[in-house]
C-alpha cells in the first residue's frame, strides 16, 4: 500500500531523528507538522518545499515513489469525472469512474480508489450501493480519520434504506463527535456530517435538532454550486499549470483544494435541508422574508425529487404574506409533478383551497379543502388533516352549512384520534 504525504513525512523525519519542532523550524509549528503527518491537513507547496529542504531531499520524494505527474493526473481525472456526475451525466461518468478506480488500485492508491468508489455509491441504489460502500470502507481503512469519515454519510444512507434511521443518525453523530474529540475538525468533513444530520433530523420531524446542525453547517458553507464549480475549475487549471512547470508539490496542493470543493458541491442537496430547517425556524419567529429567501435557495439546490414539496412550502409562505399571485404561479408550476393520491397531493389541495379562499372564491376553496381533508384522512396524513380541518369548517359555517361543518369537525377528530401520531415531515 502506498504512503500518504503525511506518512512519508513522518517516516523521513523519524529516520533522521528529528522532532516535529525541529522539522517545523522557524516558519511552522509542531502542531502544523503533526496535522500534516496525521493527514488532517494538506501542506501547501511552500510547506512541502520547506520540509524537503529540512530533510535534505527533493520535494517530489514526499509525494511517494510513483511518478508525481501520473498520480496528480489521476486526481485531476477523478475530479473531472465527478464533475460529470454533478452535471447529471451519470450514464457516461459511471464507467469512467470505474476505470479510474481500477487504475488507482493498480497504482496502489487506496485513497483515490476509495473516493472513486464513494462517487459510484452516491449515484447507485440498493445492493449495488451497499457493495460500493463496503469496498470504499475497505479501501480507506488505513487512511487518517477525516478520510475514513467520508464513508460514513453513505453508510448512513444505506442504513436508512434498510429502515435503520435511528442507527444511521447514531453513526453520523458518533463520527462527528469523534472527529472533534480526537482533534480532526476538518471543515469540509464537519460540514458534510452536520448537513447530513440536519437532513435526518428534519425528516424525523425534530426541527430543533435539525436547526442546530443546519446553522453550524451553513456557517461552514462557502457558496452556491455555481461558485464552487468555478473555484474547482480554477484549482484544476492551476494544478495543470504547475504540472506543466514540474512544480509537483504546488500541483498536489491545488488538487487537494479541488477535492474539498467537489465534496461540498456534492453535498448541496443535503444543504437544501439545512436551508429548509432554517426557513421553518425563521417562519415561526415571524421572519417571513428570511424564510422565503431560505426556501427559494433550498429549492434551487435540492434533489429533483424534493423540489415539489419545497415548492409547495414556498408557495404557502408567499400565501401567508399575502402575495397571492406569486403563490398561485408556484402552485400551477409544480402541480403536474405531484403524484396523485399522496400526502403531498393533499398538501397541494390544502394550499389551493387557502389560495381560493384568500381570493374570495368560496366554492372552489370548499372543494379543494374538502378534497384535502378526505385525502389526508385516507392516507393518515395527520399534519395536513390538522391544518385543513379548521379553514374548511370555518368556510362551511360562513356559507350557512353549519351541519356539514359540524360533521367535518367530528369526523376529522375521530380520524385524528384513530391515527398514530406522525409529524408532517414523515408525510412527504
Amino acid at each position: 500500500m502506498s504512503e500518504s504525504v503525511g506518512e512519508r513525512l513522518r517516516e523521513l523525519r523519524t529516520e533522521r531523528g528529528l522532532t516535529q519542532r525541529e522539522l517545523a523550524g522557524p516558519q511552522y509549528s509542531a502542531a502544523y507538522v503533526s496535522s500534516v503527518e496525521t493527514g488532517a491537513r494538506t501542506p501547501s507547496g511552500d510547506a512541502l518545499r520547506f520540509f524537503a529542504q529540512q530533510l535534505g531531499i527533493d520535494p517530489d520524494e514526499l509525494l511517494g515513489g510513483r511518478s508525481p505527474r501520473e498520480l496528480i493526473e489521476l486526481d485531476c481525472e477523478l475530479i473531472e469525472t465527478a464533475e460529470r456526475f454533478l452535471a447529471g451525466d451519470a450514464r457516461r461518468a459511471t464507467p469512467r469512474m470505474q476505470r479510474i478506480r481500477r487504475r488507482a488500485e493498480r497504482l496502489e492508491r487506496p485513497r483515490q480508489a476509495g473516493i472513486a468508489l464513494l462517487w459510484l455509491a452516491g449515484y447507485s441504489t440498493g445492493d449495488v450501493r451497499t457493495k460500493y460502500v463496503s469496498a470504499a470502507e475497505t479501501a480507506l481503512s488505513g487512511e487518517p480519520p477525516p478520510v475514513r469519515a467520508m464513508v460514513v454519510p453513505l453508510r448512513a444512507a444505506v442504513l436508512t434504506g434498510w429502515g435503520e434511521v435511528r442507527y444511521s443518525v447514531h453513526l453520523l453523530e458518533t463520527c462527528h463527535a469523534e472527529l472533534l474529540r480526537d482533534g480532526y475538525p476538518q471543515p469540509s468533513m464537519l460540514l458534510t456530517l452536520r448537513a447530513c444530520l440536519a437532513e435526518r433530523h428534519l425528516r424525523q420531524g425534530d426541527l430543533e435538532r435539525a436547526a442546530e446542525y443546519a446553522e453550524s453547517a451553513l456557517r461552514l458553507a462557502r457558496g452556491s454550486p455555481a461558485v464552487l464549480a468555478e473555484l474547482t475549475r480554477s484549482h484544476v487549471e492551476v494544478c495543470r499549470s504547475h504540472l506543466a512547470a514540474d512544480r509537483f508539490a504546488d500541483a498536489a496542493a491545488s488538487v487537494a483544494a479541488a477535492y474539498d470543493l467537489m465534496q461540498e458541491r456534492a453535498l448541496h442537496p443535503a444543504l437544501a435541508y439545512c436551508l429548509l430547517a432554517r426557513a421553518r425556524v425563521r417562519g415561526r419567529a415571524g421572519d417571513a422574508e428570511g424564510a422565503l429567501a431560505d426556501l427559494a435557495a433550498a429549492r434551487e439546490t435540492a434533489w429533483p425529487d424534493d423540489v415539489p414539496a419545497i415548492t409547495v412550502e414556498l408557495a404557502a409562505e408567499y400565501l401567508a404574506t399575502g402575495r397571492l399571485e406569486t403563490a398561485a404561479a408556484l402552485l400551477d408550476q409544480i402541480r403536474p409533478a405531484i403524484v396523485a393520491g399522496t400526502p403531498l397531493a393533499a398538501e397541494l389541495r390544502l394550499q389551493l383551497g387557502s389560495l381560493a379562499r384568500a381570493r374570495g372564491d368560496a366554492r372552489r376553496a370548499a372543494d379543494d379543502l374538502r378534497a384535502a381533508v378526505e385525502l389526508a384522512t385516507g392516507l393518515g396524513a395527520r399534519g395536513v388533516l390538522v391544518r385543513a380541518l379548521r379553514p374548511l369548517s370555518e368556510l362551511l359555517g360562513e356559507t350557512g352549512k353549519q351541519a356539514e361543518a359540524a360533521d367535518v369537525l367530528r369526523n376529522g377528530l375521530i380520524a385524528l384520534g384513530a391515527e398514530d401520531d406522525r409529524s408532517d415531515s414523515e408525510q412527504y
Side-chain angles (χ1 to χ4, degrees):
M1 181 180 293
S2 62
E3 296 174 306
S4 68
V5 173
E7 290 169 333
R8 183 71 174 149
L9 182 66
R10 181 172 60 247
E11 178 184 322
L12 292 169
R13 175 180 62 78
T14 55
E15 281 178 359
R16 287 157 176 73
L18 297 174
T19 65
Q20 291 177 336
R21 166 57 63 190
E22 289 169 336
L23 178 62
Q27 292 185 229
Y28 299 95
S29 66
Y32 178 76
V33 173
S34 177
S35 68
V36 171
E37 291 184 349
T38 59
R41 296 186 67 171
T42 300
S44 66
D46 287 341
L48 282 174
R49 282 190 291 272
F50 178 80
F51 294 149
Q53 182 179 5
Q54 292 285 86
L55 295 167
I57 61 173
D58 291 328
D60 295 348
E61 287 188 50
L62 286 176
L63 297 174
R66 299 277 182 181
S67 161
R69 184 181 304 280
E70 181 181 20
L71 299 178
I72 294 170
E73 286 177 346
L74 175 66
D75 285 319
C76 289
E77 187 178 354
L78 198 161
I79 290 168
E80 289 166 349
T81 304
E83 289 262 10
R84 294 193 176 193
F85 276 117
L86 293 173
D89 192 8
R91 184 179 64 83
R92 294 182 183 179
T94 295
R96 184 172 174 179
M97 192 65 83
Q98 289 169 335
R99 290 194 295 272
I100 291 172
R101 175 235 179 146
R102 291 192 293 268
R103 184 178 164 200
E105 289 172 342
R106 287 195 299 272
L107 293 172
E108 295 184 322
R109 303 295 289 180
R111 183 177 299 194
Q112 284 85 345
I115 292 172
L117 285 161
L118 290 177
W119 279 98
L120 290 166
Y123 288 84
S124 302
T125 57
D127 291 341
V128 175
R129 169 178 281 188
T130 303
K131 180 185 72 173
Y132 281 137
V133 170
S134 297
E137 286 171 334
T138 300
L140 299 176
S141 61
E143 297 295 322
V147 179
R148 295 200 306 272
M150 293 172 67
V151 185
V152 172
L154 281 163
R155 173 55 71 187
V158 169
L159 291 169
T160 299
W162 291 346
E164 299 286 349
V165 179
R166 289 186 179 180
Y167 184 37
S168 74
V169 171
H170 172 73
L171 183 65
L172 290 164
E173 289 185 332
T174 299
C175 181
H176 180 264
E178 287 177 349
L179 288 178
L180 292 175
R181 182 196 66 201
D182 296 338
Y184 296 102
Q186 188 180 42
S188 61
M189 199 62 246
L190 293 182
L191 170 61
T192 299
L193 293 169
R194 289 169 183 174
C196 290
L197 281 164
E199 177 183 354
R200 292 296 193 284
H201 282 299
L202 193 62
R203 287 186 183 275
Q204 288 184 289
D206 189 346
L207 179 58
E208 184 177 352
R209 294 298 303 281
E212 284 179 25
Y213 284 115
E215 194 62 41
S216 58
L218 290 169
R219 284 198 299 268
L220 291 173
R222 287 175 285 185
S224 67
V227 170
L228 296 176
E230 184 174 351
L231 289 172
T232 303
R233 286 191 292 270
S234 295
H235 279 295
V236 171
E237 289 173 9
V238 169
C239 173
R240 293 198 182 282
S241 296
H242 287 314
L243 280 180
D246 293 335
R247 293 194 293 268
F248 300 122
D250 292 316
S254 294
V255 89
Y259 266 125
D260 271 354
L261 291 164
M262 289 298 298
Q263 183 176 345
E264 185 172 337
R265 286 178 63 196
L267 189 64
H268 265 265
L271 282 173
Y273 276 84
C274 294
L275 291 163
L276 189 56
R278 191 170 70 180
R280 290 178 181 174
V281 170
R282 286 177 166 178
R284 291 182 181 184
D287 180 8
E289 295 306 315
L292 286 169
D294 280 340
L295 285 168
R299 184 169 176 258
E300 291 300 315
T301 60
W303 286 112
D305 288 348
D306 292 329
V307 169
I310 295 174
T311 302
V312 172
E313 190 165 343
L314 178 60
E317 193 67 34
Y318 274 117
L319 182 58
T321 59
R323 282 169 266 194
L324 306 187
E325 297 312 310
T326 303
L330 287 168
L331 294 173
D332 286 343
Q333 176 189 350
I334 207 63
R335 189 169 187 170
I338 295 177
V339 178
T342 62
L344 184 55
E347 180 70 32
L348 174 65
R349 296 302 292 269
L350 167 59
Q351 298 307 326
L352 287 170
S354 300
L355 175 64
R357 190 181 183 196
R359 285 173 163 175
D361 188 344
R363 187 175 68 175
R364 183 169 182 179
D367 288 344
D368 281 324
L369 290 170
R370 190 180 289 109
V373 167
E374 290 173 357
L375 185 53
T377 300
L379 294 170
R382 184 181 177 90
V384 180
L385 181 57
V386 168
R387 287 180 287 111
L389 278 175
R390 181 174 179 178
L392 177 57
S393 63
E394 287 178 349
L395 183 61
L396 291 171
E398 291 167 2
T399 54
K401 300 177 181 178
Q402 283 80 8
E404 186 180 351
D407 286 341
V408 164
L409 278 177
R410 182 176 60 254
N411 293 334
L413 291 172
I414 291 171
L416 289 171
E419 295 293 333
D420 291 332
D421 188 8
R422 292 183 289 177
S423 67
D424 288 352
S425 65
E426 296 174 303
Q427 307 300 324
Y428 56 90

